[in-house]
């Protein structure tokens, strides 16, 4: 049995991490979040008065590939899985975007997510286009060995699409460092070469980057510093509420509490916890490390458990950080949201209707494609380091990340002031201008 094979300790850890990674995503939530992104794109395209030709070139994906993946199961039978890779736009560089393993993966979703990547990479001005991939599979039903064979077959089947100058995948829902290591090894074996730059999000021992784990929250924190300066808001003593306490949310809480913010509320799937004078974030992180979630955190600390977790979004705080799911602030609760600033770690936490309400109320929103782009920016640094064969320390990574995030924030704020539009439309304006410019300079080949 594959399961009884002895893996080195680091891989066993990854196997556990892999199990912990598996979580449900709702199809409806994903697609309506994408509908919102399309509406935001259209708003920006209208403001820029793009022609139909310009819109056609940058809105639709360039290449959609579907493959059938035969995989030998542990019992000797062969099962066929369906896999996709979409290249949305390659005007600014190789495709960049994750590969997800999930039973609900479908081509429309993968196309939508690749669209998002094009504009996220353009906002932070890293030299990548947009891509995304997926395999229709419930990975909980595979053994470790079956998972490895599926991952390798996915990469091998589309080997010609991938490459450091063509398409550079990364982890997404239910894929992790170990899956990236298998992708990288499969590609390297085909090329008869060591080619770490073909994927990012690899283990540190195999060319991964320092700083990747906290990069998304760190990027958000740099944006919040810039936004606070713009709004004349003192971060020391500012009150903060954070929805979601996973990778993005827990590091967000840690970094902002180090800045002197008072983290009054945090939440996860097991409840929301509040303290007027501020929660002990180190204790909350240790609690989650010990018990797997925030469940019963109020019994182990001075925190109060909130009777209705969604009320966290409506607390009278200065900064609200949605870091969990899509569509959390809608026309139903937007009027009651009191935060002066919303920093979107999650993708698509506000609907377009909520956006309009928040704009009327004068709330300053740092939109997802800017706010959570720290992760993909450090992935870019991983690719750069792999190609140089020279590795930076965490201090250097964060100095570079700050430079990219500050430049991106300033460009978006300037567009918001120039065009008199909210920050979200401004982020799309900056991104669309960069993609359109590159596409026009390249022209049409044949
Ligand atoms: P994660 O799986 O590590 O954490 C998700 C957290 O949300 C968990 O604490 C979970 O318990 C909590 N949660 C789930 N349902 C909830 C609910 N109903 N109410 C409150 N909390 C709930 O995920 P993550 O990597 O931290 O990602 C969070 C969001 O940030 C997602 O939208 C993701 O797409 C986005 N994002 C993450 C990264 C990254 O690098 N981690 C990068 C870009 C965007």
């Amino acid at each position: 049995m594959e399961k009884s094979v002895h893996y080195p300790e680091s891989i066993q850890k990854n196997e556990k991490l892999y199990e912990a990674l598996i979580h449900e995503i709702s199809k409806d939530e994903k697609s309506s979040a994408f509908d919102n992104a399309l509406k935001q794109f259209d708003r920006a395209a209208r403001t820029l008065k793009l022609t139909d030709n310009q819109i056609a070139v940058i809105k639709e994906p360039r290449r959609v590939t579907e493959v059938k993946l035969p995989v030998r199961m542990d019992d000797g039978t062969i099962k066929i899985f369906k896999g996709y890779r979409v290249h949305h736009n390659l005007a600014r560089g190789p495709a960049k975007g994750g590969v997800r393993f999930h039973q609900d993966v479908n081509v429309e979703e993968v196309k939508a997510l690749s669209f998002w990547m094009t504009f996220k990479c353009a906002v932070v001005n890293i030299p990548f286009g947009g891509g995304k991939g997926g395999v229709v599979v419930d990975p909980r039903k595979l053994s470790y060995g079956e998972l490895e064979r599926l991952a390798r077959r996915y990469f091998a089947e589309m080997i010609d699409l991938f490459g450091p100058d063509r398409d550079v995948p990364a982890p997404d829902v239910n894929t992790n460092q170990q899956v990236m290591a298998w992708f990288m090894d499969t590609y390297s074996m085909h090329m008869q070469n060591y080619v770490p730059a073909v994927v990012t999000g690899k283990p540190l021992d195999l060319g991964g980057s320092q700083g990747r784990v906290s990069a998304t929250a760190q990027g958000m924190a740099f944006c919040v510093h810039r936004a606070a300066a713009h709004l004349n808001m003192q971060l020391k003593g500012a009150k903060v509420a954070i929805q979601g306490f996973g990778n993005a949310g827990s590091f967000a809480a840690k970094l902002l509490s180090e800045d002197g913010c008072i983290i009054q509320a945090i939440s996860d799937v097991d409840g929301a916890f509040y303290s007027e004078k501020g929660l002990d974030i180190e204790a909350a992180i240790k609690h989650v490390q010990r018990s797997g979630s925030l469940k019963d955190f109020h019994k182990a600390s001075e925190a109060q458990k909130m009777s209705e977790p969604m009320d966290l979004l409506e607390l009278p705080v200065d900064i609200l950080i949605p870091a969990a799911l899509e569509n959390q602030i809608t026309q139903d609760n937007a009027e009651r949201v009191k935060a002066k600033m919303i920093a979107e770690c999650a993708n698509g936490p506000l609907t377009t209707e909520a956006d309009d309400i928040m704009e009327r109320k004068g709330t300053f929103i740092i939109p997802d494609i800017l706010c959570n782009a720290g992760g993909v920016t450090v992935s870019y640094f991983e690719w750069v380091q792999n190609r140089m064969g020279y590795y930076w320390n965490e201090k250097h990574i964060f100095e570079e990340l700050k430079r990219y995030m500050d430049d991106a924030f300033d460009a978006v704020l300037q567009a918001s002031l120039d065009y008199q539009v909210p920050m979200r439309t401004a982020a799309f304006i900056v991104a669309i201008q960069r993609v359109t410019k590159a596409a026009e300079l390249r022209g049409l080949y044949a």
Side-chain angles (χ1 to χ4, degrees):
M1 278 285 290
E2 289 287 342
K3 282 256 170 190
S4 63
V5 172
H6 180 74
Y7 293 99
E9 199 193 335
S10 60
I11 296 188
Q12 286 174 16
K13 253 193 258 149
N14 281 330
E15 193 174 1
K16 284 206 195 83
L17 176 68
Y18 169 74
E19 278 160 19
L21 266 171
I22 294 181
H23 57 266
E24 284 299 310
I25 48 167
S26 145
K27 234 194 288 183
D28 291 348
E29 278 172 355
K30 293 279 170 209
S31 59
S32 60
F34 179 62
D35 289 344
N36 286 332
L38 275 185
K39 282 186 205 157
Q40 292 147 15
F41 173 92
D42 289 338
R43 279 181 182 185
R46 267 201 310 276
T47 308
L48 286 172
K49 299 191 172 59
L50 292 193
T51 64
D52 289 348
N53 279 346
Q54 284 173 314
I55 292 175
V57 170
I58 61 170
K59 201 166 172 181
E60 286 298 314
R62 259 289 287 282
R63 181 181 293 131
V64 180
T65 308
E66 178 184 318
V67 289
K68 299 289 187 320
L69 308 168
V71 174
R72 193 174 299 282
M73 309 306 279
D74 289 347
D75 65 4
T77 59
I78 291 173
K79 228 179 176 164
I80 313 282
F81 296 90
K82 203 186 272 183
Y84 300 104
R85 187 71 187 167
V86 174
H87 290 169
H88 177 262
N89 188 290
L90 307 174
R92 304 182 69 256
K96 187 91 198 81
V99 177
R100 61 177 53 183
F101 286 179
H102 197 278
Q103 60 275 18
D104 290 340
V105 162
N106 62 76
V107 70
E108 288 310 315
E109 179 187 73
V110 183
K111 280 157 77 172
L113 293 166
S114 71
F115 163 95
W116 233 320
M117 287 306 296
T118 294
F119 298 104
K120 192 178 282 193
C121 292
V123 165
V124 276
N125 213 3
I126 57 176
F128 285 124
K132 205 78 186 186
V135 177
V136 187
V137 59
D138 181 350
R140 287 170 300 193
K141 297 189 175 148
L142 298 188
S143 72
Y144 197 61
E146 289 164 348
L147 178 74
E148 174 174 358
R149 293 194 287 280
L150 175 62
R152 288 185 182 277
R153 186 70 197 215
Y154 175 84
F155 224 73
E157 198 69 40
M158 291 185 281
I159 201 97
D160 292 341
L161 291 181
F162 299 119
D165 291 313
R166 292 180 179 178
D167 180 351
V168 185
D172 197 82
V173 175
N174 297 338
T175 56
N176 66 355
Q177 293 184 357
Q178 180 59 68
V179 177
M180 296 308 113
W182 290 326
F183 283 171
M184 175 268 183
D185 181 67
T186 302
Y187 188 82
S188 296
M189 293 306 288
H190 275 252
M191 298 302 143
Q192 293 289 294
N193 236 332
Y194 176 68
V195 195
V198 69
V199 287
T200 61
K202 298 181 294 298
L204 272 179
D205 295 320
L206 210 59
S209 181
Q210 298 287 346
R212 177 63 186 87
V213 184
S214 59
T216 299
Q218 188 66 70
M220 173 283 299
F222 290 139
C223 288
V224 165
H225 295 171
R226 247 10 197 205
H230 170 68
L231 299 172
N232 273 328
M233 180 193 282
Q234 278 294 330
L235 279 185
K236 199 166 164 44
K239 291 177 281 179
V240 177
I242 303 174
Q243 184 196 43
F245 206 69
N247 174 274
S250 64
F251 278 109
K254 181 170 183 290
L255 292 169
L256 291 183
S257 65
E258 285 166 6
D259 285 332
C261 294
I262 299 170
I263 315 296
Q264 285 193 326
I266 55 176
S267 71
D268 72 3
V269 73
D270 284 321
F273 301 86
Y274 174 83
S275 162
E276 192 183 349
K277 64 180 194 340
L279 296 161
D280 180 345
I281 296 305
E282 284 301 325
I285 290 172
K286 282 197 183 118
H287 186 89
V288 172
Q289 279 165 354
R290 252 193 329 266
S291 61
S293 86
L294 285 172
K295 190 164 186 280
D296 291 338
F297 180 54
H298 59 300
K299 293 184 185 158
S301 69
E302 286 178 26
Q304 288 167 247
K305 184 165 183 180
M306 296 175 72
S307 53
E308 177 44 69
M310 285 296 278
D311 287 352
L312 174 145
L313 301 170
E314 300 170 19
L315 289 169
V317 290
D318 299 297
I319 304 171
L320 174 63
I321 303 185
L325 305 168
E326 297 80 10
N327 300 327
Q328 294 302 291
I329 304 178
T330 66
Q331 58 190 350
D332 297 334
N333 59 356
E335 286 294 357
R336 298 191 298 274
V337 172
K338 298 171 194 71
K340 300 185 187 75
M341 184 199 302
I342 299 178
E344 296 181 339
C345 272
N347 285 317
L350 271 76
T351 63
T352 316
E353 294 77 19
D355 252 347
D356 292 342
I357 295 169
M358 301 319 293
E359 188 191 350
R360 225 178 31 246
K361 290 169 60 159
T363 312
F364 189 87
I365 295 177
I366 311 174
D368 47 11
I369 62 167
L370 167 66
C371 193
N372 68 31
V376 73
T377 305
V378 173
S379 284
Y380 162 55
F381 298 159
E382 180 176 335
W383 178 81
V384 170
Q385 293 168 84
N386 292 157
R387 309 197 83 183
M388 288 193 298
Y390 181 77
Y391 288 83
W392 300 335
N393 61 22
E394 196 175 73
K395 180 170 171 282
H396 186 68
I397 297 277
F398 290 145
E399 280 165 7
E400 284 294 300
L401 179 62
K402 176 169 165 40
R403 187 164 69 81
Y404 273 81
M405 295 307 299
D406 285 355
D407 286 352
F409 183 93
D410 292 350
V412 172
L413 181 61
Q414 195 56 51
S416 162
L417 299 172
D418 290 348
Y419 290 91
Q420 291 294 300
V421 291
M423 286 288 280
R424 192 184 311 282
T425 311
F428 272 97
I429 285 178
V430 168
I432 289 172
Q433 282 175 326
R434 287 179 178 156
V435 176
T436 310
K437 180 98 184 271
E440 286 181 352
L441 283 169
R442 288 180 67 157
L444 282 188
Y445 171 74

